Amino acid sequence: MQAELSAIQEQAIQEIQGATSSPDLEELRLKYFGKKGVVTQYSRKLGTLSAEERPVVGKMINTLRDHLEEVLKTRGQELARVEEEAKFERERLDVELPGRQPRRGHPHPLQLIIQEITMTFLGMGFSVAEGPEVELDFYNFEALNIPAEHPAREMHDSLYITENTLLRTHTSPVQIRTMEKLNPNPVRIIVPGRVYRRDALDATHSPIFHQIEGLLVDKDITFGDLKGVLTVFIRKFFGADREVRLRPSFFPFTEPSTEVDVSCVCQGQGCRICKNTGWIEILGAGSVHPKVLAMAKYDPEVYSGFAFGMGVERIAMLRYGITDIRHFYENDFRFLSQFCL
Ligand code: PHE
């Protein structure tokens, strides 16, 4: 029996010392001390022994158990240390590693243009007004002296929502909405906003685009005031050396109406931008039509004013040399990241 127990001890110690992980070690503990464990079974056999043998063998088993438990404990501690070190190594944090640089956002080029133009007019005492993109036919057309059946409606390929609501085709309806609100006070507003037309998307057309509208109504406002304000704006935006040219035009809500051109950077040399004309058309404008003033309950005998409207995409394309309007809407980061404040 003694020889058997020493053999068990020897084998157990070898196995325990050879264990390479805590779960392995736990398996060995069960192998020797579990319910059906080797040592446990010897303890059970004690009852079958004679009264003289029992205390002797019992003592030997106790010694074996104490010894193996000690070896298990020591190996357990060793493995725990090794495993903890491995875990630290695995989860190592290099606190000196440089942080990841977050990508910086960029303002959208249309937003940059809107902001710059708006700021220029704020500097001349204008304030910003806005209106709904889903507009009543009344504000988009009727009150702007474009009655039903008026041929000017055909210039605007409208997107109707119901019989008398549509996606606004220009920012001009905000003229009327603001005059109604401010009446009888003077009006001096700039209106940036999104407008809609039934156009197919190509390099120069988009069914959704942006306009900036301007409106000034007060006593004794002349066409000269319009030319003065626009010249200040154009020289600030395009350059102090630029010339401004007004050509007669037609809009139902202004009389007289004009198309405003700015002289090209090529200074008349002729280039692709101005198609060799030396001039670039940038906005439509005119004196507010007396009928429009009357519609908004401003007495045309007392009040007068001017209005203008420009396409933001067109101006942004000129400013940045962009030849395809679709770039503005595709949100390609390679395009957008080229624009900074
Ligand atoms: N609303 C006109 C357009 O969309 C532009 C315009 C605005 C013209 C104000 C004159 C005065 O074409």
Side-chain angles (χ1 to χ4, degrees), residues 98-106 333:
R100 286 200 195 109
Q101 202 66 27
R103 249 187 183 183
R104 285 188 68 182
H106 292 262
F333 203 78

Side-chain angles (χ1 to χ4, degrees), residues 212-244:
I212 297 181
E213 187 90 6
L215 173 68
L216 189 148
V217 175
D218 207 339
K219 291 170 183 162
D220 304 321
I221 301 301
T222 68
F223 199 86
D225 294 317
L226 167 64
K227 188 170 181 189
V229 165
L230 289 181
T231 303
V232 168
F233 156 64
I234 287 168
R235 296 224 166 115
K236 182 121 196 287
F237 188 85
F238 290 98
D241 56 341
R242 300 296 186 105
E243 294 301 327
V244 177

Side-chain angles (χ1 to χ4, degrees), residues 94-257:
D94 183 349
V95 292
E96 290 183 21
L97 211 62
R100 286 200 195 109
Q101 202 66 27
R103 249 187 183 183
R104 285 188 68 182
H106 292 262
H108 194 281
L110 294 178
Q111 212 49 51
L112 283 175
I113 296 292
I114 289 172
Q115 221 169 64
E116 185 178 337
I117 294 177
T118 303
M119 290 307 279
T120 305
F121 282 99
L122 288 183
M124 291 191 270
F126 285 69
S127 28
V128 175
E130 283 180 308
E133 289 176 27
V134 175
E135 187 53 282
L136 290 169
D137 184 278
F138 174 77
Y139 289 111
N140 196 82
F141 292 126
E142 206 80 23
L144 287 164
N145 195 31
I146 317 176
E149 315 304 330
H150 192 290
R153 288 208 183 198
E154 276 172 31
M155 284 163 45
H156 299 238
D157 302 293
S158 317
L159 291 158
Y160 275 87
I161 296 190
T162 66
E163 224 191 321
N164 61 353
T165 56
L166 71 160
L167 293 170
R168 67 178 178 191
T169 59
H170 51 178
T171 41
S172 302
V174 187
Q175 289 189 27
I176 310 297
R177 287 182 174 273
T178 311
M179 282 193 275
E180 282 184 346
K181 208 159 62 192
L182 297 187
N183 191 309
N185 297 298
V187 179
R188 209 188 296 183
I189 54 159
I190 197 88
V191 185
R194 201 177 284 161
V195 300
Y196 301 81
R197 298 213 187 151
R198 208 174 55 233
D199 259 332
L201 184 65
D202 64 24
T204 51
H205 297 84
S206 164
I208 306 176
F209 59 102
H210 298 76
Q211 285 189 335
I212 297 181
E213 187 90 6
L215 173 68
L216 189 148
V217 175
D218 207 339
K219 291 170 183 162
D220 304 321
I221 301 301
T222 68
F223 199 86
D225 294 317
L226 167 64
K227 188 170 181 189
V229 165
L230 289 181
T231 303
V232 168
F233 156 64
I234 287 168
R235 296 224 166 115
K236 182 121 196 287
F237 188 85
F238 290 98
D241 56 341
R242 300 296 186 105
E243 294 301 327
V244 177
R245 181 175 82 172
L246 305 187
R247 279 179 294 114
S249 185
F250 173 80
F251 300 103
F253 35 93
T254 49
E255 181 59 34
S257 300

